[in-house]
Amino acid sequence: MEFNVKKLASDAGVFFSRAMQFTEEKLGQAEKTELDAHFENLLARADCTKNWTEKILRQTEVLLQPNPSARVEEFLYEKLDRKVPSRVTNGELLAQYMTEAANDFGPGTPYGKTLIKVGETQRRLGAAEREFIHSASINFLTPLRNFLEGDWRTISKERRILQNRRLDLDACKARLKKAKAAEAKAAAVPDFQETRPRNYVLSASASAAEHELRLTQTEFDRQAEVTRLLLEGISSTHVNHLRCLHEFVESQTNYYAQCYQFMLDLQKQLGSSKGEIFSGTFVGNAESASPAAATSPPAVAAATLPAVPTIPVVPTIVGVPNTVAEGVLNPSEVKPPASGTRRARVLYDYEAADSTELALLADEMITVYSLPGMDPDWLIGERGNQKGKVPVTYLELLS
């Protein structure tokens, strides 16, 4: 018990000495040991690394999980050292709703079929998102978090010890300076007989202060070297974070490439389905059309292409064979209009669903035009001697 009391008193004295030295430095009443410029640069670089790592980590977490409640839940599970429960992504939830809606509307109906196709694509997008989040968490977030919770805590601890050693060193310097000043002042007193014992005490006090200063200087130098080595390790941290950043970019690239491919596949499926729906709808309209309807002006075609005008009272449309009106397109019988054709650049590859469509290759140039009564989402495309229907969404119309 006596030992603990003495240690407590000693620690209290050290704390009081450091507090007084720190206060005097802030008030400009005491000198402060300055670190060399290289050491100060290392400290500034370490602080900068810590601050930006925290910001990047927080914003990446927001990117991967925008829901703040979910982020708090994951944080609590992590702190409790428990496995985070699997969570359904927004894409997977949307896919579930679309599938259930298709079953209610009828999976055999055009709307139900389309809902099933889009829902399946949304499910694949959700699965890709889940894989990307898992990969980014392991390869990018975990190294950043380990640095902040491991290496940086060690650096901060050693920096605090170095700060205390510096305060002890400056306090010893101040005590030695006061002892030297008192000794010099006593030596200047003319009464030698009266001041000899006091001079002896002051000299012993100065010697003790010098010895304490040497010990404190040694401890400060040792701690400065330890802290310097840790700060120089920030370079290795940057190299590690750079590698993790490359892995994050690679994961993100794969994720967006998968999403792009999924959407391309869906667009092709919907384009084929749209052609089937258009064909069936046009057949029904042609069968139910009255003779008087043939004399009315044609429906407006694609917004960017002029339609070929019809001749009143004549049932056969100029340049359009009767097979088109019957809902069956024979490309060899289709004749381009005298005016109204345009050049177009193909944006994506397109596989023809049947013989009435024209297969496309990305970046090729074709000639396109519209026929009366055609779905505005489709055009007639020509490439050499080949003709067929092409979807407008796959084209860039040129002037």
Side-chain angles (χ1 to χ4, degrees):
M1 186 64 181
E2 182 182 358
F3 172 79
N4 292 337
V5 172
K6 289 183 178 180
K7 185 176 184 301
L8 181 61
S10 176
D11 292 343
V14 171
F15 176 78
F16 179 76
S17 175
R18 292 171 180 171
M20 185 172 60
Q21 176 66 25
F22 182 80
T23 303
E24 290 179 352
E25 288 177 359
K26 290 299 182 181
L27 297 176
Q29 299 175 358
E31 296 180 357
K32 176 182 177 181
T33 300
E34 299 292 343
L35 301 172
D36 59 85
H38 177 65
F39 200 97
E40 292 288 352
N41 290 335
L42 291 177
L43 290 174
R45 189 179 183 216
D47 291 334
C48 184
T49 301
K50 181 256 184 182
N51 293 334
W52 283 114
T53 301
E54 284 182 337
K55 293 180 180 180
I56 293 174
L57 175 64
R58 286 197 298 267
Q59 193 58 37
T60 306
E61 291 175 341
V62 173
L63 173 66
L64 299 180
Q65 179 51 265
N67 189 344
S69 300
R71 292 200 304 272
V72 172
E73 181 181 353
E74 293 176 357
F75 175 78
L76 293 178
Y77 273 103
E78 181 182 353
K79 290 303 179 182
L80 295 175
D81 197 17
R82 297 179 59 184
K83 184 179 180 180
V84 180
S86 179
R87 184 179 289 105
V88 178
T89 62
N90 293 328
E92 292 172 328
L93 186 60
L94 177 59
Q96 177 183 344
Y97 291 163
M98 286 186 172
T99 304
E100 294 175 357
N103 293 331
D104 285 344
F105 297 146
T109 62
Y111 186 35
K113 290 180 180 179
T114 305
L115 280 173
I116 292 177
K117 292 179 181 179
V118 177
E120 177 61 21
T121 301
Q122 293 300 325
R123 185 193 63 79
R124 298 170 68 185
L125 291 174
E129 180 184 2
R130 182 194 303 276
E131 181 181 355
F132 166 61
I133 292 175
H134 178 71
S135 175
S137 298
I138 294 177
N139 298 328
F140 189 62
L141 293 184
T142 299
L144 297 184
R145 194 176 291 113
N146 289 342
F147 165 73
L148 294 174
E149 297 178 356
D151 295 347
W152 181 253
R153 286 187 178 180
T154 302
I155 292 175
S156 299
K157 176 183 176 182
E158 298 300 329
R159 287 178 65 176
R160 288 193 298 268
I161 295 176
L162 178 63
Q163 175 71 357
N164 292 335
R165 295 288 183 265
R166 186 196 63 76
L167 291 174
D168 294 342
L169 177 61
D170 290 338
C172 289
K173 289 181 179 180
R175 287 195 294 270
L176 178 60
K177 184 177 180 180
K178 292 179 181 179
K180 290 286 187 181
E183 185 180 4
K185 182 177 179 180
V189 177
D191 189 353
F192 178 79
Q193 294 295 331
E194 183 180 350
T195 57
R196 175 182 292 180
R198 186 180 179 188
N199 289 344
Y200 177 78
V201 173
L202 293 175
S203 179
S205 176
S207 299
E210 289 178 353
H211 177 71
E212 184 182 5
L213 177 61
R214 286 193 295 269
L215 294 178
T216 307
Q217 183 70 52
T218 302
E219 293 178 356
F220 172 78
D221 294 339
R222 184 185 301 112
Q223 184 61 34
E225 185 63 23
V226 171
T227 308
R228 183 191 302 273
L229 292 176
L230 290 175
L231 293 175
E232 290 175 348
I234 292 293
S235 299
S236 300
T237 300
H238 286 184
V239 173
N240 183 39
H241 288 181
L242 176 61
R243 177 184 57 83
C244 297
L245 184 60
H246 279 285
E247 294 179 355
F248 173 72
V249 172
E250 183 177 357
S251 299
Q252 196 171 29
T253 302
N254 293 336
Y255 167 62
Y256 285 120
Q258 287 179 338
C259 294
Y260 177 72
Q261 187 60 46
F262 293 159
M263 296 309 299
L264 275 184
D265 296 341
L266 176 62
Q267 190 177 38
K268 292 179 180 179
Q269 295 178 19
L270 296 183
S272 301
S273 301
K274 186 184 295 183
E276 297 173 0
I277 297 173
F278 158 73
S279 178
T281 304
F282 195 77
V283 169
N285 292 341
E287 293 177 350
S288 61
S290 61
T295 62
S296 61
V300 180
T304 55
L305 289 175
V308 180
T310 60
I311 301 177
V313 189
V314 179
T316 303
I317 304 175
V318 178
V320 183
N322 293 332
T323 54
V324 176
E326 296 173 358
V328 180
L329 175 65
N330 187 352
S332 61
E333 298 180 4
V334 174
K335 297 180 180 180
S339 62
T341 61
R342 295 181 63 175
R343 297 287 289 172
R345 185 175 69 87
V346 179
L347 299 177
Y348 320 106
D349 294 344
Y350 178 74
E351 297 180 3
D354 51 45
S355 60
T356 65
E357 297 182 2
L358 179 65
L360 303 175
L361 296 176
D363 295 329
E364 71 173 333
M365 302 294 294
I366 63 174
T367 301
V368 295
Y369 50 88
S370 176
L371 294 179
M374 282 191 65
D375 189 316
D377 292 333
W378 292 81
L379 297 171
I380 299 297
E382 291 188 2
R383 182 181 54 233
N385 295 328
Q386 297 178 332
K387 299 179 183 179
K389 295 187 300 181
V390 293
V392 176
T393 54
Y394 281 68
L395 303 176
E396 178 187 0
L397 299 178
L398 304 177
S399 59

